[in-house]
PDB file of all heavy atoms in Angstrom:
ATOM      1  N   PHE Y  28     239.531 105.380 310.164  1.00 89.00           N
ATOM      2  CA  PHE Y  28     240.662 104.939 309.357  1.00 89.00           C
ATOM      3  C   PHE Y  28     240.139 103.943 308.345  1.00 89.00           C
ATOM      4  O   PHE Y  28     238.939 103.613 308.335  1.00 89.00           O
ATOM      5  CB  PHE Y  28     241.726 104.298 310.262  1.00 89.00           C
ATOM      6  CG  PHE Y  28     241.113 103.521 311.404  1.00 89.00           C
ATOM      7  CD1 PHE Y  28     240.801 102.184 311.276  1.00 89.00           C
ATOM      8  CD2 PHE Y  28     240.789 104.167 312.591  1.00 89.00           C
ATOM      9  CE1 PHE Y  28     240.200 101.476 312.306  1.00 89.00           C
ATOM     10  CE2 PHE Y  28     240.177 103.459 313.636  1.00 89.00           C
ATOM     11  CZ  PHE Y  28     239.890 102.110 313.492  1.00 89.00           C
ATOM     12  N   SER Y  29     240.999 103.444 307.486  1.00 86.00           N
ATOM     13  CA  SER Y  29     240.562 102.513 306.441  1.00 86.00           C
ATOM     14  C   SER Y  29     241.559 101.387 306.313  1.00 86.00           C
ATOM     15  O   SER Y  29     242.639 101.420 306.906  1.00 86.00           O
ATOM     16  CB  SER Y  29     240.397 103.250 305.103  1.00 86.00           C
ATOM     17  OG  SER Y  29     241.625 103.823 304.707  1.00 86.00           O
ATOM     18  N   GLY Y  30     241.194 100.385 305.511  1.00 80.00           N
ATOM     19  CA  GLY Y  30     242.065  99.235 305.322  1.00 80.00           C
ATOM     20  C   GLY Y  30     241.349  97.962 305.728  1.00 80.00           C
ATOM     21  O   GLY Y  30     240.124  97.917 305.835  1.00 80.00           O
ATOM     22  N   THR Y  31     242.114  96.919 305.984  1.00 76.00           N
ATOM     23  CA  THR Y  31     241.562  95.644 306.428  1.00 76.00           C
ATOM     24  C   THR Y  31     242.401  95.091 307.567  1.00 76.00           C
ATOM     25  O   THR Y  31     243.555  95.471 307.759  1.00 76.00           O
ATOM     26  CB  THR Y  31     241.533  94.602 305.282  1.00 76.00           C
ATOM     27  OG1 THR Y  31     242.877  94.415 304.800  1.00 76.00           O
ATOM     28  CG2 THR Y  31     240.623  95.063 304.149  1.00 76.00           C
ATOM     29  N   ALA Y  32     241.777  94.213 308.325  1.00 74.00           N
ATOM     30  CA  ALA Y  32     242.473  93.518 309.410  1.00 74.00           C
ATOM     31  C   ALA Y  32     242.009  92.072 309.395  1.00 74.00           C
ATOM     32  O   ALA Y  32     240.979  91.730 308.806  1.00 74.00           O
ATOM     33  CB  ALA Y  32     242.177  94.174 310.751  1.00 74.00           C
ATOM     34  N   HIS Y  33     242.752  91.221 310.066  1.00 69.00           N
ATOM     35  CA  HIS Y  33     242.400  89.799 310.126  1.00 69.00           C
ATOM     36  C   HIS Y  33     241.768  89.500 311.468  1.00 69.00           C
ATOM     37  O   HIS Y  33     242.354  89.774 312.522  1.00 69.00           O
ATOM     38  CB  HIS Y  33     243.633  88.923 309.922  1.00 69.00           C
ATOM     39  CG  HIS Y  33     243.291  87.462 309.793  1.00 69.00           C
ATOM     40  ND1 HIS Y  33     242.791  86.899 308.639  1.00 69.00           N
ATOM     41  CD2 HIS Y  33     243.358  86.455 310.703  1.00 69.00           C
ATOM     42  CE1 HIS Y  33     242.577  85.612 308.822  1.00 69.00           C
ATOM     43  NE2 HIS Y  33     242.919  85.309 310.066  1.00 69.00           N
ATOM     44  N   GLY Y  34     240.549  88.969 311.460  1.00 61.00           N
ATOM     45  CA  GLY Y  34     239.852  88.583 312.677  1.00 61.00           C
ATOM     46  C   GLY Y  34     239.543  87.106 312.699  1.00 61.00           C
ATOM     47  O   GLY Y  34     239.998  86.338 311.836  1.00 61.00           O
ATOM     48  N   ALA Y  35     238.748  86.707 313.682  1.00 59.00           N
ATOM     49  CA  ALA Y  35     238.419  85.290 313.836  1.00 59.00           C
ATOM     50  C   ALA Y  35     237.634  84.759 312.647  1.00 59.00           C
ATOM     51  O   ALA Y  35     237.657  83.559 312.363  1.00 59.00           O
ATOM     52  CB  ALA Y  35     237.626  85.083 315.127  1.00 59.00           C
ATOM     53  N   HIS Y  36     236.921  85.640 311.924  1.00 58.00           N
ATOM     54  CA  HIS Y  36     236.118  85.212 310.778  1.00 58.00           C
ATOM     55  C   HIS Y  36     236.792  85.520 309.440  1.00 58.00           C
ATOM     56  O   HIS Y  36     236.152  85.452 308.400  1.00 58.00           O
ATOM     57  CB  HIS Y  36     234.745  85.885 310.826  1.00 58.00           C
ATOM     58  CG  HIS Y  36     233.967  85.561 312.069  1.00 58.00           C
ATOM     59  ND1 HIS Y  36     233.343  84.352 312.252  1.00 58.00           N
ATOM     60  CD2 HIS Y  36     233.739  86.286 313.201  1.00 58.00           C
ATOM     61  CE1 HIS Y  36     232.745  84.343 313.446  1.00 58.00           C
ATOM     62  NE2 HIS Y  36     232.972  85.498 314.032  1.00 58.00           N
ATOM     63  N   GLY Y  37     238.078  85.894 309.487  1.00 68.00           N
ATOM     64  CA  GLY Y  37     238.786  86.226 308.262  1.00 68.00           C
ATOM     65  C   GLY Y  37     239.036  87.717 308.144  1.00 68.00           C
ATOM     66  O   GLY Y  37     238.993  88.455 309.138  1.00 68.00           O
ATOM     67  N   ALA Y  38     239.288  88.182 306.921  1.00 78.00           N
ATOM     68  CA  ALA Y  38     239.573  89.598 306.700  1.00 78.00           C
ATOM     69  C   ALA Y  38     238.315  90.423 306.917  1.00 78.00           C
ATOM     70  O   ALA Y  38     237.221  90.047 306.489  1.00 78.00           O
ATOM     71  CB  ALA Y  38     240.106  89.811 305.288  1.00 78.00           C
ATOM     72  N   ILE Y  39     238.459  91.545 307.615  1.00 83.00           N
ATOM     73  CA  ILE Y  39     237.331  92.453 307.860  1.00 83.00           C
ATOM     74  C   ILE Y  39     237.771  93.873 307.518  1.00 83.00           C
ATOM     75  O   ILE Y  39     238.960  94.209 307.584  1.00 83.00           O
ATOM     76  CB  ILE Y  39     236.867  92.401 309.330  1.00 83.00           C
ATOM     77  CG1 ILE Y  39     238.023  92.765 310.272  1.00 83.00           C
ATOM     78  CG2 ILE Y  39     236.302  91.045 309.671  1.00 83.00           C
ATOM     79  CD1 ILE Y  39     237.602  92.909 311.726  1.00 83.00           C
ATOM     80  N   PRO Y  40     236.821  94.726 307.117  1.00 90.00           N
ATOM     81  CA  PRO Y  40     237.179  96.116 306.815  1.00 90.00           C
ATOM     82  C   PRO Y  40     237.418  96.903 308.089  1.00 90.00           C
ATOM     83  O   PRO Y  40     236.875  96.592 309.152  1.00 90.00           O
ATOM     84  CB  PRO Y  40     235.941  96.633 306.072  1.00 90.00           C
ATOM     85  CG  PRO Y  40     234.820  95.827 306.637  1.00 90.00           C
ATOM     86  CD  PRO Y  40     235.393  94.450 306.902  1.00 90.00           C
ATOM     87  N   LEU Y  41     238.242  97.928 307.967  1.00 88.00           N
ATOM     88  CA  LEU Y  41     238.463  98.857 309.068  1.00 88.00           C
ATOM     89  C   LEU Y  41     237.750 100.168 308.778  1.00 88.00           C
ATOM     90  O   LEU Y  41     237.734 100.611 307.625  1.00 88.00           O
ATOM     91  CB  LEU Y  41     239.961  99.105 309.264  1.00 88.00           C
ATOM     92  CG  LEU Y  41     240.789  97.907 309.743  1.00 88.00           C
ATOM     93  CD1 LEU Y  41     242.259  98.289 309.832  1.00 88.00           C
ATOM     94  CD2 LEU Y  41     240.293  97.389 311.084  1.00 88.00           C
ATOM     95  N   PRO Y  42     237.189 100.800 309.806  1.00 90.00           N
ATOM     96  CA  PRO Y  42     237.060 100.317 311.178  1.00 90.00           C
ATOM     97  C   PRO Y  42     236.284  98.999 311.243  1.00 90.00           C
ATOM     98  O   PRO Y  42     235.449  98.734 310.389  1.00 90.00           O
ATOM     99  CB  PRO Y  42     236.287 101.432 311.886  1.00 90.00           C
ATOM    100  CG  PRO Y  42     236.438 102.631 311.027  1.00 90.00           C
ATOM    101  CD  PRO Y  42     236.548 102.114 309.637  1.00 90.00           C
ATOM    102  N   ALA Y  43     236.577  98.214 312.264  1.00 88.00           N
ATOM    103  CA  ALA Y  43     235.856  96.955 312.425  1.00 88.00           C
ATOM    104  C   ALA Y  43     234.361  97.239 312.509  1.00 88.00           C
ATOM    105  O   ALA Y  43     233.945  98.246 313.088  1.00 88.00           O
ATOM    106  CB  ALA Y  43     236.331  96.247 313.693  1.00 88.00           C
ATOM    107  N   PRO Y  44     233.529  96.372 311.921  1.00 91.00           N
ATOM    108  CA  PRO Y  44     232.082  96.613 311.965  1.00 91.00           C
ATOM    109  C   PRO Y  44     231.549  96.855 313.370  1.00 91.00           C
ATOM    110  O   PRO Y  44     230.674  97.705 313.564  1.00 91.00           O
ATOM    111  CB  PRO Y  44     231.508  95.343 311.341  1.00 91.00           C
ATOM    112  CG  PRO Y  44     232.568  94.878 310.392  1.00 91.00           C
ATOM    113  CD  PRO Y  44     233.868  95.199 311.080  1.00 91.00           C
ATOM    114  N   ALA Y  45     232.066  96.118 314.351  1.00 90.00           N
ATOM    115  CA  ALA Y  45     231.595  96.329 315.727  1.00 90.00           C
ATOM    116  C   ALA Y  45     231.967  97.715 316.230  1.00 90.00           C
ATOM    117  O   ALA Y  45     231.198  98.351 316.966  1.00 90.00           O
ATOM    118  CB  ALA Y  45     232.168  95.253 316.651  1.00 90.00           C
ATOM    119  N   THR Y  46     233.142  98.202 315.843  1.00 94.00           N
ATOM    120  CA  THR Y  46     233.560  99.545 316.254  1.00 94.00           C
ATOM    121  C   THR Y  46     232.593 100.593 315.728  1.00 94.00           C
ATOM    122  O   THR Y  46     232.181 101.512 316.447  1.00 94.00           O
ATOM    123  CB  THR Y  46     234.984  99.834 315.753  1.00 94.00           C
ATOM    124  OG1 THR Y  46     235.890  98.871 316.301  1.00 94.00           O
ATOM    125  CG2 THR Y  46     235.439 101.226 316.171  1.00 94.00           C
ATOM    126  N   LEU Y  47     232.219 100.481 314.458  1.00 94.00           N
ATOM    127  CA  LEU Y  47     231.281 101.443 313.881  1.00 94.00           C
ATOM    128  C   LEU Y  47     229.926 101.382 314.569  1.00 94.00           C
ATOM    129  O   LEU Y  47     229.286 102.410 314.807  1.00 94.00           O
ATOM    130  CB  LEU Y  47     231.123 101.191 312.384  1.00 94.00           C
ATOM    131  CG  LEU Y  47     232.217 101.750 311.473  1.00 94.00           C
ATOM    132  CD1 LEU Y  47     231.884 101.438 310.018  1.00 94.00           C
ATOM    133  CD2 LEU Y  47     232.376 103.250 311.665  1.00 94.00           C
ATOM    134  N   GLU Y  48     229.456 100.173 314.889  1.00 92.00           N
ATOM    135  CA  GLU Y  48     228.184 100.038 315.582  1.00 92.00           C
ATOM    136  C   GLU Y  48     228.219 100.750 316.933  1.00 92.00           C
ATOM    137  O   GLU Y  48     227.284 101.453 317.325  1.00 92.00           O
ATOM    138  CB  GLU Y  48     227.826  98.567 315.788  1.00 92.00           C
ATOM    139  CG  GLU Y  48     227.271  97.869 314.580  1.00 92.00           C
ATOM    140  CD  GLU Y  48     225.896  98.392 314.178  1.00 92.00           C
ATOM    141  OE1 GLU Y  48     225.124  98.775 315.076  1.00 92.00           O
ATOM    142  OE2 GLU Y  48     225.611  98.424 312.976  1.00 92.00           O
ATOM    143  N   ILE Y  49     229.299 100.557 317.652  1.00 93.00           N
ATOM    144  CA  ILE Y  49     229.436 101.171 318.972  1.00 93.00           C
ATOM    145  C   ILE Y  49     229.445 102.689 318.869  1.00 93.00           C
ATOM    146  O   ILE Y  49     228.889 103.393 319.725  1.00 93.00           O
ATOM    147  CB  ILE Y  49     230.723 100.669 319.657  1.00 93.00           C
ATOM    148  CG1 ILE Y  49     230.589  99.185 320.008  1.00 93.00           C
ATOM    149  CG2 ILE Y  49     231.030 101.480 320.918  1.00 93.00           C
ATOM    150  CD1 ILE Y  49     231.893  98.526 320.387  1.00 93.00           C
ATOM    151  N   LEU Y  50     230.044 103.223 317.800  1.00 93.00           N
ATOM    152  CA  LEU Y  50     230.205 104.669 317.672  1.00 93.00           C
ATOM    153  C   LEU Y  50     229.028 105.362 316.995  1.00 93.00           C
ATOM    154  O   LEU Y  50     229.104 106.567 316.724  1.00 93.00           O
ATOM    155  CB  LEU Y  50     231.496 104.975 316.900  1.00 93.00           C
ATOM    156  CG  LEU Y  50     232.794 104.589 317.610  1.00 93.00           C
ATOM    157  CD1 LEU Y  50     234.001 104.904 316.746  1.00 93.00           C
ATOM    158  CD2 LEU Y  50     232.900 105.316 318.958  1.00 93.00           C
ATOM    159  N   LYS Y  51     227.945 104.637 316.717  1.00 89.00           N
ATOM    160  CA  LYS Y  51     226.775 105.295 316.144  1.00 89.00           C
ATOM    161  C   LYS Y  51     226.296 106.401 317.079  1.00 89.00           C
ATOM    162  O   LYS Y  51     226.132 106.185 318.273  1.00 89.00           O
ATOM    163  CB  LYS Y  51     225.653 104.280 315.898  1.00 89.00           C
ATOM    164  CG  LYS Y  51     225.876 103.406 314.681  1.00 89.00           C
ATOM    165  CD  LYS Y  51     224.602 102.715 314.216  1.00 89.00           C
ATOM    166  CE  LYS Y  51     223.982 101.849 315.255  1.00 89.00           C
ATOM    167  NZ  LYS Y  51     222.876 100.995 314.734  1.00 89.00           N
TER     168      LYS Y  51
END
């Protein structure tokens, strides 16, 4: 999916970077 979300470090792109890393 696409867009942005708000995390502990501010706005982040979706999918969350950690999500993409996990799904490699």
Side-chain angles (χ1 to χ4, degrees):
F28 36 90
S29 60
T31 59
H33 188 78
H36 300 284
I39 58 173
L41 293 177
T46 300
L47 280 181
E48 282 292 327
I49 292 167
L50 294 179
K51 284 197 301 190

